[in-house]
Amino acid sequence: MHKADIEFVYDMVEQLDQSIRKLTLDEQAISAKLGQQRIEELREYWQQELNEEDAQELKTTFDYWDKMLIVTWAHRQRAHTTRATVGQTLMKASNNPND
């Protein structure tokens, strides 16, 4: 990788780490608005542990904060996945410094 590409990737890592930290704080703030039982119900829905009928029934009860928590989980999962991919790219680049 060229030096400029590596710098770009390192900048991306920093931005992703900041995003993950912010999303974690957002999750904590939203979770404080919801009860522990509701969070567990939403987590079961998110992890697709409910049968289709229960999932549809629960979905009809979603309010703004329920949806925001699920969106936050989705964004955080995507950021973690991207961060892992970027980390692998950096490791490959460090193993092949002549590329």
Side-chain angles (χ1 to χ4, degrees):
M1 283 183 114
H2 297 291
K3 183 175 166 82
D5 294 336
I6 291 174
E7 288 175 10
F8 172 79
V9 173
Y10 274 110
D11 288 343
M12 186 181 209
V13 166
E14 267 186 51
Q15 290 176 0
L16 286 165
D17 287 346
Q18 289 174 4
S19 292
I20 291 168
R21 282 191 294 276
K22 182 190 178 307
L23 289 165
T24 300
L25 292 174
D26 291 349
E27 177 186 5
Q28 292 169 352
I30 294 167
S31 294
K33 298 175 187 305
L34 303 170
Q36 189 60 39
Q37 181 178 353
R38 185 59 173 182
I39 294 169
E40 288 305 315
E41 291 171 342
L42 294 172
R43 191 174 313 276
E44 288 175 358
Y45 173 82
W46 170 249
Q47 295 173 343
Q48 299 177 341
E49 295 173 354
L50 302 174
N51 64 47
E52 185 64 31
E53 184 179 315
D54 289 342
Q56 287 301 320
E57 185 178 325
L58 180 64
K59 197 172 179 180
T60 64
T61 67
F62 285 176
D63 67 7
Y64 174 80
W65 293 113
D66 296 337
K67 292 175 187 176
M68 289 306 301
L69 184 58
I70 291 170
V71 166
T72 301
W73 286 339
H75 287 161
R76 195 177 68 190
Q77 180 180 21
R78 187 170 34 243
H80 274 289
T81 301
T82 304
R83 174 63 172 87
T85 302
V86 171
Q88 290 170 351
T89 300
L90 285 174
M91 287 191 305
K92 287 177 186 175
S94 69
N95 288 333
N96 299 314
N98 296 328
D99 288 346

XYZ file of all heavy atoms in Angstrom:
827
model
N 0.850 -1.183 0.000
C 0.000 0.000 0.000
C 0.888 1.237 0.000
O 1.940 1.255 0.619
C -0.882 0.050 1.244
C -2.064 -0.850 1.247
S -3.049 -0.616 2.759
C -4.508 0.048 2.041
N 0.395 2.244 -0.644
C 1.104 3.520 -0.646
C 0.917 4.206 0.698
O -0.061 3.968 1.411
C 0.566 4.420 -1.762
C 0.792 3.856 -3.128
N 2.039 3.744 -3.690
C -0.085 3.370 -4.041
C 1.923 3.211 -4.885
N 0.644 2.966 -5.134
N 1.840 5.071 1.022
C 1.798 5.785 2.303
C 0.486 6.553 2.464
O -0.118 6.532 3.539
C 2.991 6.727 2.404
C 3.068 7.452 3.731
C 4.344 8.275 3.802
C 4.338 9.232 4.895
N 4.610 9.092 6.164
N 0.016 7.201 1.410
C -1.237 7.964 1.481
C -2.420 7.040 1.764
O -3.328 7.400 2.519
C -1.463 8.732 0.187
N -2.394 5.840 1.178
C -3.472 4.873 1.424
C -3.468 4.410 2.871
O -4.524 4.302 3.509
C -3.313 3.659 0.499
C -3.509 4.004 -0.961
O -4.194 5.006 -1.253
O -2.965 3.266 -1.811
N -2.275 4.154 3.391
C -2.165 3.710 4.783
C -2.640 4.815 5.725
O -3.347 4.545 6.698
C -0.723 3.254 5.095
C -0.425 1.967 4.328
C -0.518 3.056 6.591
C 0.996 1.484 4.417
N -2.280 6.052 5.440
C -2.742 7.174 6.267
C -4.253 7.280 6.227
O -4.901 7.520 7.253
C -2.098 8.480 5.799
C -0.630 8.586 6.145
C 0.028 9.842 5.577
O -0.688 10.734 5.071
O 1.266 9.920 5.644
N -4.826 7.082 5.044
C -6.284 7.115 4.914
C -6.926 6.030 5.768
O -7.914 6.270 6.475
C -6.694 6.949 3.443
C -8.177 6.778 3.262
C -9.020 7.880 3.299
C -8.726 5.521 3.053
C -10.385 7.734 3.148
C -10.096 5.367 2.901
C -10.929 6.470 2.937
N -6.355 4.835 5.718
C -6.904 3.724 6.490
C -6.789 4.005 7.984
O -7.727 3.748 8.746
C -6.218 2.393 6.090
C -6.662 1.255 6.995
C -6.531 2.057 4.639
N -5.661 4.555 8.421
C -5.520 4.904 9.846
C -6.542 5.967 10.258
O -7.106 5.898 11.355
C -4.093 5.370 10.163
C -3.158 4.243 10.479
C -2.138 3.883 9.594
C -3.285 3.515 11.663
C -1.276 2.833 9.882
C -2.420 2.465 11.953
C -1.431 2.134 11.059
O -0.584 1.091 11.350
N -6.790 6.942 9.389
C -7.819 7.944 9.677
C -9.194 7.284 9.790
O -10.004 7.637 10.655
C -7.855 9.032 8.597
C -6.664 9.973 8.660
O -5.982 10.012 9.710
O -6.419 10.669 7.646
N -9.432 6.326 8.915
C -10.697 5.606 8.945
C -10.850 4.847 10.262
O -11.936 4.834 10.857
C -10.769 4.650 7.759
C -12.078 3.951 7.585
S -11.968 2.854 6.153
C -13.653 2.870 5.637
N -9.768 4.231 10.717
C -9.786 3.503 11.991
C -10.157 4.454 13.122
O -11.004 4.134 13.964
C -8.417 2.828 12.258
C -8.300 2.368 13.708
C -8.209 1.667 11.310
N -9.546 5.627 13.143
C -9.854 6.608 14.189
C -11.326 7.004 14.160
O -11.982 7.075 15.201
C -8.993 7.859 14.015
C -7.710 7.840 14.792
C -6.979 9.169 14.693
O -7.602 10.224 14.945
O -5.792 9.133 14.353
N -11.826 7.284 12.964
C -13.230 7.679 12.835
C -14.163 6.553 13.259
O -15.171 6.806 13.940
C -13.531 8.109 11.404
C -12.873 9.414 11.023
C -13.101 9.767 9.556
O -13.755 9.046 8.812
N -12.529 10.891 9.146
N -13.843 5.337 12.884
C -14.670 4.202 13.281
C -14.641 4.004 14.792
O -15.676 3.746 15.410
C -14.212 2.931 12.567
C -14.586 2.848 11.092
C -13.781 1.759 10.404
C -16.079 2.612 10.929
N -13.463 4.127 15.393
C -13.365 3.996 16.851
C -14.197 5.068 17.547
O -14.888 4.792 18.533
C -11.908 4.069 17.312
C -11.121 2.809 16.967
O -11.739 1.776 16.620
O -9.876 2.869 17.034
N -14.150 6.300 17.044
C -14.961 7.382 17.608
C -16.449 7.083 17.442
O -17.242 7.300 18.362
C -14.611 8.719 16.959
C -13.267 9.261 17.347
C -12.900 10.516 16.557
O -13.675 11.033 15.768
N -11.678 11.001 16.772
N -16.822 6.583 16.286
C -18.222 6.248 16.038
C -18.704 5.152 16.983
O -19.810 5.238 17.532
C -18.423 5.785 14.593
O -18.221 6.838 13.694
N -17.870 4.140 17.176
C -18.241 3.041 18.076
C -18.412 3.559 19.499
O -19.370 3.203 20.192
C -17.211 1.899 17.995
C -17.308 1.219 16.623
C -17.400 0.891 19.129
C -16.156 0.275 16.301
N -17.495 4.428 19.944
C -17.622 5.008 21.295
C -18.918 5.818 21.416
O -19.643 5.695 22.406
C -16.416 5.879 21.628
C -15.186 5.096 22.033
C -14.097 5.987 22.615
N -13.533 6.913 21.657
C -12.556 6.629 20.807
N -12.021 5.413 20.805
N -12.086 7.529 19.975
N -19.224 6.639 20.408
C -20.439 7.460 20.438
C -21.683 6.580 20.436
O -22.626 6.821 21.190
C -20.479 8.417 19.257
C -21.715 9.318 19.286
C -21.882 10.096 18.004
C -23.123 10.950 17.995
N -24.353 10.256 18.308
N -21.690 5.553 19.599
C -22.845 4.660 19.537
C -23.033 3.903 20.850
O -24.169 3.669 21.269
C -22.700 3.685 18.364
C -22.856 4.327 16.984
C -22.339 3.391 15.903
C -24.306 4.732 16.733
N -21.947 3.560 21.507
C -22.034 2.893 22.808
C -22.660 3.836 23.837
O -23.530 3.430 24.623
C -20.649 2.412 23.268
O -20.153 1.479 22.290
C -20.706 1.743 24.628
N -22.243 5.096 23.816
C -22.843 6.081 24.721
C -24.306 6.311 24.384
O -25.140 6.436 25.298
C -22.074 7.405 24.651
C -20.651 7.374 25.200
C -19.941 8.706 24.928
C -20.662 7.057 26.689
N -24.623 6.364 23.092
C -26.024 6.512 22.677
C -26.854 5.335 23.177
O -27.971 5.521 23.669
C -26.140 6.602 21.150
C -25.582 7.890 20.582
O -25.278 8.824 21.362
O -25.436 7.959 19.331
N -26.301 4.129 23.044
C -27.014 2.940 23.515
C -27.286 3.034 25.018
O -28.383 2.735 25.478
C -26.214 1.674 23.219
C -26.883 0.419 23.747
C -26.047 -0.829 23.603
O -24.889 -0.745 23.182
O -26.559 -1.909 23.945
N -26.296 3.477 25.773
C -26.476 3.608 27.217
C -27.556 4.634 27.550
O -28.388 4.413 28.434
C -25.154 3.981 27.886
C -24.130 2.868 27.832
C -22.744 3.326 28.258
O -22.482 4.504 28.461
N -21.833 2.370 28.387
N -27.560 5.760 26.830
C -28.555 6.809 27.082
C -29.958 6.323 26.738
O -30.918 6.563 27.489
C -28.212 8.065 26.276
N -30.095 5.629 25.626
C -31.411 5.120 25.225
C -31.852 4.027 26.189
O -33.021 3.990 26.612
C -31.364 4.595 23.774
C -31.099 5.747 22.806
C -32.666 3.891 23.422
C -30.724 5.313 21.401
N -30.925 3.163 26.572
C -31.257 2.072 27.492
C -31.754 2.601 28.830
O -32.614 1.987 29.472
C -30.047 1.168 27.710
O -29.710 0.506 26.512
N -31.230 3.751 29.240
C -31.671 4.351 30.509
C -33.138 4.767 30.435
O -33.816 4.832 31.455
C -30.795 5.555 30.848
N -33.632 5.026 29.232
C -35.030 5.425 29.052
C -35.965 4.217 29.030
O -37.166 4.359 29.226
C -35.197 6.211 27.754
C -34.417 7.506 27.717
C -34.544 8.171 26.366
C -33.662 9.382 26.220
N -33.802 10.400 27.210
N -35.399 3.049 28.743
C -36.196 1.824 28.643
C -35.926 0.955 29.860
O -34.858 1.005 30.436
C -35.803 1.053 27.373
C -35.931 1.796 26.047
C -35.280 0.999 24.929
C -37.386 2.078 25.734
N -36.852 0.151 30.214
C -36.646 -0.782 31.314
C -35.825 -1.975 30.865
O -35.736 -2.278 29.672
N -35.226 -2.662 31.835
C -34.391 -3.826 31.525
C -35.190 -4.901 30.804
O -34.693 -5.535 29.879
C -33.756 -4.383 32.805
C -32.712 -5.446 32.552
C -31.551 -4.956 31.703
O -31.095 -3.828 31.845
N -31.078 -5.794 30.810
N -36.432 -5.090 31.210
C -37.264 -6.110 30.562
C -37.492 -5.762 29.091
O -37.397 -6.637 28.227
C -38.610 -6.247 31.273
C -39.493 -7.304 30.664
C -40.814 -7.464 31.395
O -41.026 -6.867 32.447
N -41.694 -8.272 30.845
N -37.747 -4.485 28.807
C -37.971 -4.066 27.421
C -36.701 -4.240 26.599
O -36.753 -4.681 25.449
C -38.440 -2.601 27.375
C -38.814 -2.128 25.999
C -39.919 -2.966 25.418
N -40.390 -2.418 24.158
C -41.375 -2.925 23.461
N -42.015 -3.993 23.893
N -41.742 -2.373 22.331
N -35.562 -3.928 27.189
C -34.292 -4.098 26.489
C -34.086 -5.570 26.133
O -33.657 -5.886 25.020
C -33.121 -3.558 27.332
C -33.243 -2.039 27.473
C -31.778 -3.946 26.730
C -32.311 -1.441 28.489
N -34.417 -6.465 27.056
C -34.263 -7.900 26.785
C -35.204 -8.347 25.667
O -34.814 -9.152 24.814
C -34.495 -8.718 28.054
C -33.374 -8.596 29.058
C -32.011 -8.949 28.467
O -31.886 -9.962 27.751
O -31.048 -8.191 28.711
N -36.436 -7.831 25.651
C -37.373 -8.160 24.575
C -36.821 -7.687 23.223
O -36.859 -8.427 22.236
C -38.732 -7.506 24.819
C -39.495 -8.065 25.985
C -40.738 -7.263 26.331
O -40.856 -6.090 25.908
O -41.610 -7.819 27.023
N -36.311 -6.467 23.213
C -35.767 -5.913 21.976
C -34.518 -6.681 21.539
O -34.309 -6.908 20.342
C -35.446 -4.427 22.153
C -36.659 -3.526 22.380
C -36.212 -2.115 22.732
C -37.584 -3.521 21.175
N -33.697 -7.100 22.503
C -32.493 -7.858 22.178
C -32.872 -9.210 21.554
O -32.261 -9.643 20.580
C -31.629 -8.062 23.422
C -30.238 -8.599 23.111
C -29.341 -8.649 24.333
N -29.347 -7.451 25.149
C -28.609 -6.362 24.928
N -27.825 -6.321 23.884
N -28.661 -5.328 25.743
N -33.903 -9.859 22.092
C -34.368 -11.123 21.519
C -34.869 -10.902 20.094
O -34.617 -11.723 19.212
C -35.475 -11.733 22.380
C -34.984 -12.306 23.687
C -36.112 -12.786 24.580
O -37.302 -12.648 24.206
O -35.811 -13.308 25.663
N -35.581 -9.803 19.883
C -36.052 -9.465 18.537
C -34.855 -9.222 17.618
O -34.783 -9.768 16.513
C -36.945 -8.224 18.591
C -37.332 -7.711 17.224
C -38.388 -8.285 16.525
C -36.630 -6.666 16.628
C -38.735 -7.831 15.267
C -36.976 -6.207 15.365
C -38.029 -6.789 14.695
O -38.367 -6.338 13.440
N -33.918 -8.406 18.078
C -32.734 -8.055 17.288
C -31.929 -9.299 16.911
O -31.442 -9.434 15.795
C -31.877 -7.063 18.067
C -30.538 -6.803 17.478
C -29.338 -7.179 17.989
C -30.242 -6.112 16.257
N -28.314 -6.768 17.170
C -28.853 -6.110 16.091
C -31.025 -5.504 15.292
C -28.220 -5.521 15.006
C -30.394 -4.917 14.208
C -29.010 -4.924 14.071
N -31.784 -10.209 17.845
C -30.990 -11.415 17.605
C -31.808 -12.533 16.950
O -31.330 -13.647 16.820
C -30.361 -11.890 18.915
C -29.368 -10.896 19.457
C -28.835 -11.249 20.835
O -29.405 -12.072 21.553
N -27.742 -10.614 21.221
N -33.041 -12.205 16.578
C -33.954 -13.118 15.880
C -34.176 -14.409 16.662
O -34.179 -15.500 16.092
C -33.444 -13.392 14.471
C -33.357 -12.138 13.641
C -32.788 -12.381 12.256
O -32.136 -13.392 11.991
N -33.044 -11.443 11.356
N -34.361 -14.257 17.965
C -34.595 -15.406 18.827
C -36.091 -15.682 19.000
O -36.453 -16.688 19.596
C -33.951 -15.176 20.193
C -32.443 -15.076 20.137
C -31.810 -14.682 21.452
O -32.536 -14.363 22.413
O -30.568 -14.672 21.518
N -36.942 -14.804 18.490
C -38.386 -14.964 18.615
C -38.938 -15.666 17.386
O -38.404 -15.514 16.279
C -39.061 -13.593 18.749
C -38.608 -12.710 19.913
C -39.260 -11.335 19.816
C -38.944 -13.370 21.240
N -40.045 -16.398 17.598
C -40.688 -16.962 16.418
C -41.358 -15.820 15.649
O -41.507 -14.708 16.164
C -41.676 -18.080 16.790
C -42.848 -17.573 17.623
O -43.459 -16.556 17.304
N -43.161 -18.304 18.684
N -41.728 -16.077 14.429
C -42.248 -15.030 13.536
C -43.469 -14.320 14.122
O -43.574 -13.091 14.067
C -42.600 -15.628 12.168
C -43.031 -14.615 11.144
C -41.942 -13.614 10.780
O -40.754 -13.976 10.832
O -42.284 -12.460 10.451
N -44.366 -15.080 14.716
C -45.584 -14.491 15.292
C -45.257 -13.549 16.447
O -45.764 -12.427 16.512
C -46.520 -15.608 15.767
C -47.850 -15.110 16.282
C -48.743 -16.267 16.709
O -48.828 -17.262 15.960
O -49.336 -16.161 17.802
N -44.397 -13.990 17.357
C -44.005 -13.146 18.492
C -43.240 -11.909 18.026
O -43.423 -10.820 18.565
C -43.160 -13.932 19.490
C -43.962 -14.973 20.252
O -45.208 -14.877 20.270
O -43.346 -15.903 20.818
N -42.393 -12.085 17.020
C -41.628 -10.956 16.493
C -42.571 -9.908 15.892
O -42.404 -8.702 16.131
C -40.632 -11.428 15.444
N -43.555 -10.358 15.138
C -44.511 -9.423 14.538
C -45.343 -8.722 15.611
O -45.611 -7.525 15.515
C -45.424 -10.145 13.541
C -44.731 -10.521 12.258
C -44.158 -9.311 11.538
O -44.752 -8.251 11.480
N -42.962 -9.485 10.999
N -45.754 -9.465 16.621
C -46.533 -8.876 17.716
C -45.711 -7.828 18.461
O -46.199 -6.732 18.749
C -46.995 -9.970 18.677
C -47.907 -9.463 19.778
C -48.381 -10.580 20.685
O -48.600 -11.698 20.199
O -48.526 -10.314 21.895
N -44.463 -8.147 18.758
C -43.594 -7.197 19.453
C -43.360 -5.963 18.597
O -43.385 -4.834 19.100
C -42.254 -7.859 19.803
C -41.255 -6.975 20.542
C -41.805 -6.574 21.913
C -39.922 -7.681 20.685
N -43.187 -6.164 17.318
C -42.918 -5.057 16.400
C -44.053 -4.031 16.401
O -43.797 -2.831 16.245
C -42.699 -5.607 14.992
C -42.049 -4.667 14.046
C -41.717 -5.390 12.750
C -41.089 -4.442 11.770
N -40.757 -5.112 10.517
N -45.266 -4.473 16.613
C -46.403 -3.539 16.638
C -46.375 -2.631 17.862
O -47.068 -1.612 17.884
C -47.755 -4.281 16.588
O -47.896 -5.072 17.770
C -47.880 -5.135 15.345
N -45.579 -2.996 18.853
C -45.528 -2.193 20.082
C -44.340 -1.232 20.118
O -44.175 -0.500 21.089
C -45.452 -3.106 21.328
O -44.198 -3.800 21.332
C -46.604 -4.093 21.363
N -43.504 -1.248 19.063
C -42.319 -0.392 19.055
C -42.698 1.075 19.142
O -43.582 1.542 18.426
C -41.504 -0.584 17.774
C -40.708 -1.855 17.715
C -39.994 -2.164 16.571
C -40.667 -2.757 18.758
C -39.261 -3.323 16.477
C -39.941 -3.927 18.680
C -39.228 -4.208 17.532
N -41.991 1.792 20.010
C -42.123 3.246 20.048
C -40.809 3.847 19.535
O -39.920 3.140 19.074
C -42.489 3.748 21.451
C -41.387 3.550 22.487
O -40.255 3.142 22.127
O -41.641 3.835 23.665
N -40.698 5.145 19.619
C -39.535 5.852 19.094
C -38.234 5.320 19.700
O -37.274 5.039 18.983
C -39.676 7.356 19.363
C -38.451 8.145 18.991
C -38.215 8.496 17.665
C -37.516 8.527 19.954
C -37.079 9.212 17.307
C -36.385 9.248 19.608
C -36.171 9.587 18.283
O -35.048 10.289 17.932
N -38.179 5.178 21.021
C -36.943 4.771 21.687
C -36.590 3.326 21.392
O -35.408 2.977 21.303
C -37.017 5.049 23.189
C -37.053 6.513 23.449
C -38.082 7.245 23.964
C -36.015 7.462 23.144
N -37.746 8.570 24.004
C -36.483 8.742 23.509
C -34.740 7.365 22.602
C -35.726 9.893 23.352
C -33.981 8.511 22.436
C -34.480 9.757 22.818
N -37.608 2.476 21.235
C -37.337 1.089 20.829
C -36.636 1.073 19.478
O -35.620 0.402 19.291
C -38.642 0.296 20.711
C -39.383 0.128 22.019
O -38.748 0.213 23.094
O -40.606 -0.086 21.965
N -37.177 1.820 18.534
C -36.603 1.874 17.190
C -35.206 2.489 17.215
O -34.312 2.023 16.512
C -37.512 2.677 16.256
C -38.832 1.984 15.976
C -39.744 2.867 15.160
C -41.114 2.251 15.017
N -42.048 3.131 14.311
N -35.014 3.506 18.027
C -33.696 4.145 18.112
C -32.649 3.182 18.670
O -31.500 3.182 18.228
C -33.761 5.419 18.959
C -34.494 6.560 18.285
S -33.861 6.972 16.645
C -32.169 7.384 17.001
N -33.035 2.365 19.631
C -32.097 1.394 20.187
C -31.711 0.364 19.125
O -30.533 0.052 18.953
C -32.681 0.700 21.413
C -31.751 -0.266 22.140
C -30.471 0.431 22.607
C -32.466 -0.918 23.318
N -32.680 -0.119 18.377
C -32.404 -1.099 17.324
C -31.535 -0.487 16.230
O -30.576 -1.110 15.757
C -33.719 -1.673 16.762
C -34.379 -2.548 17.832
C -33.474 -2.466 15.483
C -35.795 -2.977 17.511
N -31.820 0.748 15.852
C -31.003 1.439 14.847
C -29.575 1.620 15.363
O -28.605 1.421 14.624
C -31.640 2.795 14.469
C -30.667 3.676 13.698
C -32.910 2.574 13.667
N -29.438 1.970 16.628
C -28.110 2.137 17.233
C -27.347 0.822 17.211
O -26.158 0.790 16.887
C -28.247 2.684 18.667
O -28.931 3.937 18.608
C -26.889 2.871 19.327
N -28.027 -0.276 17.552
C -27.378 -1.588 17.489
C -26.917 -1.896 16.062
O -25.819 -2.417 15.862
C -28.324 -2.677 17.963
C -28.542 -2.714 19.451
C -27.729 -2.185 20.421
C -29.629 -3.313 20.133
N -28.262 -2.425 21.661
C -29.428 -3.120 21.523
C -30.767 -3.993 19.722
C -30.316 -3.592 22.479
C -31.665 -4.467 20.677
C -31.429 -4.261 22.043
N -27.753 -1.591 15.086
C -27.406 -1.867 13.682
C -26.191 -1.046 13.254
O -25.263 -1.572 12.628
C -28.600 -1.577 12.777
N -26.192 0.235 13.609
C -25.060 1.099 13.251
C -23.775 0.639 13.936
O -22.702 0.620 13.324
C -25.356 2.548 13.600
C -26.342 3.184 12.696
N -27.033 4.327 13.035
C -26.772 2.853 11.451
C -27.841 4.657 12.036
N -27.705 3.771 11.076
N -23.899 0.263 15.195
C -22.713 -0.189 15.928
C -22.182 -1.498 15.358
O -20.971 -1.672 15.194
C -23.012 -0.332 17.417
C -21.724 -0.426 18.239
C -21.984 -0.497 19.691
N -22.620 -1.782 19.953
C -23.165 -2.134 21.097
N -23.191 -1.302 22.097
N -23.715 -3.304 21.262
N -23.070 -2.409 15.004
C -22.644 -3.672 14.405
C -21.929 -3.420 13.075
O -20.877 -3.999 12.804
C -23.843 -4.594 14.179
C -23.470 -5.923 13.570
C -24.679 -6.825 13.362
O -25.812 -6.369 13.298
N -24.426 -8.109 13.258
N -22.476 -2.521 12.268
C -21.850 -2.201 10.984
C -20.480 -1.554 11.204
O -19.518 -1.871 10.512
C -22.762 -1.293 10.160
C -22.265 -1.046 8.772
C -23.267 -0.358 7.856
N -24.129 0.603 8.493
C -25.465 0.490 8.562
N -26.072 -0.549 8.031
N -26.177 1.413 9.148
N -20.384 -0.671 12.189
C -19.102 -0.019 12.490
C -18.071 -1.036 12.969
O -16.902 -0.983 12.568
C -19.296 1.088 13.527
N -18.491 -1.978 13.808
C -17.567 -3.023 14.286
C -17.093 -3.901 13.130
O -15.905 -4.239 13.055
C -18.233 -3.901 15.351
C -18.143 -3.357 16.736
N -16.963 -3.320 17.451
C -19.092 -2.826 17.542
C -17.191 -2.787 18.638
N -18.469 -2.475 18.725
N -18.008 -4.258 12.248
C -17.646 -5.094 11.095
C -16.658 -4.369 10.193
O -15.643 -4.941 9.771
C -18.911 -5.480 10.305
O -19.796 -6.194 11.171
C -18.575 -6.339 9.097
N -16.936 -3.105 9.931
C -16.041 -2.310 9.095
C -14.691 -2.142 9.770
O -13.640 -2.249 9.131
C -16.664 -0.936 8.779
O -17.941 -1.143 8.169
C -15.787 -0.121 7.858
N -14.699 -1.909 11.071
C -13.456 -1.734 11.832
C -12.608 -2.999 11.754
O -11.387 -2.934 11.583
C -13.792 -1.376 13.282
C -12.592 -1.293 14.229
C -11.642 -0.189 13.811
N -10.607 0.023 14.792
C -9.454 -0.653 14.826
N -9.202 -1.601 13.941
N -8.554 -0.377 15.747
N -13.237 -4.156 11.855
C -12.500 -5.417 11.761
C -11.886 -5.584 10.373
O -10.727 -5.999 10.240
C -13.424 -6.589 12.084
N -12.643 -5.239 9.351
C -12.137 -5.337 7.980
C -10.956 -4.405 7.765
O -9.943 -4.786 7.158
C -13.252 -5.013 6.970
O -14.339 -5.925 7.179
C -12.767 -5.113 5.538
N -11.066 -3.195 8.281
C -9.974 -2.226 8.152
C -8.744 -2.714 8.899
O -7.617 -2.610 8.409
C -10.420 -0.827 8.642
C -9.249 0.132 8.734
C -11.492 -0.265 7.726
N -8.938 -3.279 10.074
C -7.827 -3.826 10.842
C -7.118 -4.943 10.087
O -5.885 -5.012 10.077
N -7.897 -5.808 9.441
C -7.307 -6.886 8.647
C -6.510 -6.315 7.476
O -5.431 -6.813 7.147
C -8.396 -7.823 8.133
C -9.044 -8.644 9.217
C -10.271 -9.395 8.735
O -10.750 -9.189 7.630
N -10.781 -10.278 9.588
N -7.039 -5.264 6.863
C -6.337 -4.611 5.753
C -4.997 -4.065 6.217
O -3.978 -4.223 5.537
C -7.196 -3.476 5.162
O -8.431 -4.031 4.693
C -6.497 -2.761 4.036
N -4.984 -3.433 7.380
C -3.731 -2.903 7.914
C -2.737 -4.013 8.238
O -1.537 -3.867 7.996
C -3.993 -2.054 9.158
C -4.576 -0.672 8.911
C -4.927 0.008 10.220
C -3.597 0.173 8.117
N -3.229 -5.117 8.785
C -2.332 -6.230 9.095
C -1.725 -6.802 7.818
O -0.532 -7.099 7.770
C -3.065 -7.315 9.881
C -3.344 -6.913 11.318
S -3.932 -8.247 12.384
C -5.344 -8.854 11.527
N -2.540 -6.952 6.787
C -2.024 -7.458 5.506
C -0.997 -6.490 4.933
O 0.033 -6.916 4.402
C -3.169 -7.659 4.512
C -4.036 -8.835 4.827
C -5.191 -8.933 3.852
C -6.152 -10.023 4.262
N -7.337 -10.058 3.385
N -1.267 -5.200 5.032
C -0.340 -4.190 4.502
C 0.983 -4.220 5.264
O 2.040 -4.047 4.667
C -0.963 -2.807 4.574
N 0.919 -4.441 6.569
C 2.156 -4.467 7.354
C 2.963 -5.735 7.075
O 4.180 -5.734 7.228
C 1.856 -4.354 8.849
O 1.215 -5.523 9.328
N 2.297 -6.795 6.645
C 2.998 -8.035 6.288
C 3.595 -7.984 4.890
O 4.468 -8.764 4.546
C 2.066 -9.243 6.389
C 1.754 -9.580 7.825
O 2.534 -9.304 8.727
N 0.589 -10.173 8.053
N 3.103 -7.060 4.073
C 3.588 -6.905 2.691
C 3.964 -5.447 2.454
O 3.314 -4.747 1.693
C 2.492 -7.324 1.691
C 2.080 -8.757 1.844
O 2.918 -9.626 1.954
N 0.778 -9.002 1.848
N 5.027 -4.955 3.087
C 5.372 -3.538 2.995
C 5.797 -3.085 1.600
O 5.768 -1.906 1.310
C 6.532 -3.379 3.979
C 7.100 -4.745 4.126
C 5.962 -5.701 3.905
N 6.094 -3.987 0.718
C 6.541 -3.598 -0.620
C 5.397 -3.409 -1.616
O 5.637 -3.017 -2.734
C 7.519 -4.642 -1.178
C 8.785 -4.713 -0.344
O 9.205 -3.713 0.213
N 9.344 -5.898 -0.230
N 4.170 -3.758 -1.224
C 3.018 -3.615 -2.124
C 2.618 -2.174 -2.314
O 2.763 -1.332 -1.551
C 1.815 -4.408 -1.599
C 2.025 -5.904 -1.765
O 2.953 -6.296 -2.499
O 1.265 -6.674 -1.141
